[in-house]
Structures are given as structure tokens and as C-alpha cells.
Amino acid sequence: MKRNIDWEDLRLFLAVAKAGGLAGAADKTGVSSATLGRRVAALEKSLDVRLVEREARGYQLTAAAHDLLRYLEDMDQTARSIDAWKEGEGLRRRIRISAGDWTARLLIDNLSSFWTPDAGWLPEILADLRNRDIARRQIDIGIRNSRPKQAWLAGQKVGKVQYAAYQAAKVSNAAELGWVGLVEDDAHSPTGLWLKENHGTDAVITVNKASLALSLVRKGNARMLLPTFVGDAYPDLMRIDGPFDTMETERWLVMHQDERHVPTVRQAVSALTKFLKENPILSSFS
């Protein structure tokens, strides 16, 4: 029979995982390495799953441990929010906003366009290709590329995203530049699939995040498919093809039906809607 999970074991395991081992976690938590080792073993027993491989050079996390960490990060954020609330910062709700890498950067580049320090809510922006679970309150607002289908979700269309092919303006259009390819999770994104289908054999370099390609393109090392709100922001880039109708996507704000009328969520949605409907572009930092 499995033991009940001890929340303190979870907290200490998270500390061990973040520190990369017992010694670092001991420094952070003030709990001895021996005790931390026992708490990790107790957690493995209560979950009936191996979380670490005990090697000579220290602990190595298993695949199950990485899965568990995704939930523990949410738990840790909740705990820190409670601490902040306890210290008197809880008068304003922190609104968690999830978006793809490019859109997350768009929000950060233009933060003052939709949020000010005296607003009734605090932004927390998560760059993530995964559709975090709104039903379980992992996030408050998701910026998605399609209308939500679940009955418990509400959506508001705020625009569209177009894609075009870009290269550095200083490079001749006749130059035989290769393309940036995508691997791992980003390989399965619309951008990754388009690149594989149209230029899969032309990739001269591959990266695991489309956002890592921007510097390569600006320096004239390769070509890349980019959202136009990214590529058009840089005067040192030029379109060589597109926008492509088949790549165009809608942009939606998605939230839980029960939350859409909560004042702080409504304020955040209203501010984001106004901002995104203006078709903003990135700030072209050099």
C-alpha cells in the first residue's frame, strides 16, 4: 500500500533538482545532505517510482522526475504567491499568460503598451509551446492560434499572424544561402513542419528554438521562416518570399469560462486585446 505523499518531501526534492544535487540543496535549504537523501528516498517510496539514479558523480534525474518537476514548478509558484500574499502583496492578482516564444517576446518588448505598475494585476509571462491546462488553473490566459473547442473555455479573437521567408538585407537575393532547420519540440510546430517540407535538405544549421535563428539570419548565415511581426521589425532583414497563405494563423486569447468575468482577469484580457488588435511588432534591438 502506498504511503500518503508528504508535501515537505516534494518541496525538498524540488530543491535537490534545482540545485543539481544534495550539497547545493543543503546550502539552499539548511537541511543536511543525509536528511535530503532520506527525504528523496521516502518520496520515491510513496510514489512507487524511481526519481533519481544514484551515480558516483551525484544524482541524475529520471524521466519520471522530469515529469514530476513540471507539476512541482506550479506548486512552487503557488507557494511563493501565498508567501507574497502573506507579506501584503496579495492585493493584486498575478495573471499567468502563456504564449509561444515569439509572442511572449512581443509582450515583453511592448510591456508598457498594455500594462503599467499601477494596474490592478501583475503579469507573469510564460514562453511555452505547450498548451498549459487552463481547466486546472496552470495559467489564466493562453494566447493560442485557434478558437478553443472545450465547453469550459472562452475565447476572444484578437488578430492573425502571417509568416514570410527572410534573409539579411546585406546579402544578395541571388546568393545560395541555406536555411535554418528546427529539431526537438519545435520541429513539430507549424514553422518546423513547413521548413522540413519545403527546405528540409537545405538546412545548414539546426536549432531547437525558432527564436535562436534570428541572430543567424541577421548576420547573413542563413534564411528562415519568421512571423512578419518579427521579420518586419528589423530593417536589416528583407522578405524573400511570402507571406504564405497556408501558414496564416488566427490569434486568440483563451481563458476559463468561470474566470472571464473576474475583474483582474477581465482587465488583463481587455488590455491584451487592445494591444494585440493593433498588430504590434517586436522592438528591433540591435
Side-chain angles (χ1 to χ4, degrees):
M1 179 177 178
K2 296 181 183 178
R3 300 169 49 214
N4 290 331
I5 298 174
D6 187 323
W7 289 102
E8 183 65 5
D9 288 348
L10 291 170
R11 184 184 73 83
L12 293 176
F13 171 71
L14 178 61
V16 171
K18 283 186 172 182
L22 297 177
D27 291 340
K28 291 286 187 181
T29 63
V31 178
S32 70
S33 295
T35 299
L36 287 170
R38 288 196 297 271
R39 300 304 288 260
V40 171
L43 180 60
E44 289 180 317
K45 184 175 181 180
S46 64
L47 294 173
D48 194 22
V49 65
R50 183 178 293 278
L51 297 174
V52 296
E53 299 292 348
R54 295 160 175 81
E55 302 176 353
R57 63 176 182 270
Y59 281 0
Q60 296 296 316
L61 300 182
T62 65
H66 285 290
D67 288 339
L68 176 61
L69 283 176
R70 290 203 296 269
Y71 299 106
L72 291 185
E73 287 168 356
D74 290 333
M75 184 186 81
D76 185 52
Q77 172 60 38
T78 300
R80 285 188 281 116
S81 296
I82 291 172
D83 286 341
W85 172 77
K86 185 175 65 175
E87 296 299 323
E89 299 175 10
L91 297 177
R92 291 193 294 170
R93 176 171 168 177
R94 191 170 295 280
I95 302 296
R96 305 187 84 191
I97 305 163
S98 174
D101 286 354
W102 287 125
T103 301
R105 178 172 167 182
L106 179 70
L107 297 180
I108 290 170
D109 276 6
N110 295 276
L111 182 65
S112 62
S113 297
F114 63 89
W115 180 82
T116 57
D118 61 350
W121 57 285
L122 299 170
E124 179 170 315
I125 299 170
L126 308 175
D128 201 343
L129 276 177
R130 292 180 295 150
N131 282 345
R132 291 183 181 247
D133 197 335
I134 297 175
R136 295 183 179 179
R137 305 304 200 272
Q138 290 183 343
I139 57 169
D140 300 293
I141 301 171
I143 302 180
R144 307 276 173 81
N145 61 11
S146 61
R147 180 196 296 270
K149 295 182 174 62
Q150 298 90 336
W152 57 86
L153 296 180
Q156 183 165 336
K157 186 178 177 180
V158 293
K160 62 184 180 181
V161 178
Q162 294 181 314
Y163 290 80
Y166 292 85
Q167 71 175 39
K170 65 184 179 183
V171 178
S172 168
N173 201 26
E176 295 185 3
L177 284 181
W179 289 73
V180 178
L182 295 174
V183 295
E184 297 185 352
D185 289 345
D186 273 27
H188 307 292
S189 69
T191 297
L193 295 173
W194 186 92
L195 287 167
K196 181 178 180 181
E197 180 179 348
N198 293 277
H199 299 285
T201 60
D202 303 324
V204 294
I205 185 171
T206 55
V207 295
N208 71 333
K209 291 289 183 183
S211 56
L212 297 176
L214 183 58
S215 180
L216 294 169
V217 179
R218 295 183 67 196
K219 290 180 179 180
N221 298 125
R223 294 169 171 167
M224 181 61 179
L225 182 75
L226 296 170
T228 55
F229 71 81
V230 176
D232 289 355
Y234 292 87
D236 57 354
L237 294 182
M238 67 177 184
R239 292 189 192 184
I240 57 173
D241 201 1
F244 304 104
D245 292 342
T246 57
M247 287 295 295
E248 184 174 297
T249 59
E250 295 178 341
R251 184 182 270 155
W252 287 77
L253 299 183
V254 181
M255 68 235 62
H256 199 283
Q257 282 279 14
D258 295 343
E259 291 279 291
R260 64 186 304 188
H261 299 301
V262 173
T264 48
V265 175
R266 188 172 66 244
Q267 290 168 22
V269 168
S270 177
L272 288 168
T273 297
K274 182 177 183 297
F275 167 65
L276 292 172
K277 281 190 172 181
E278 293 172 351
N279 296 317
I281 63 174
L282 291 188
S283 297
S284 55
F285 298 121
S286 59

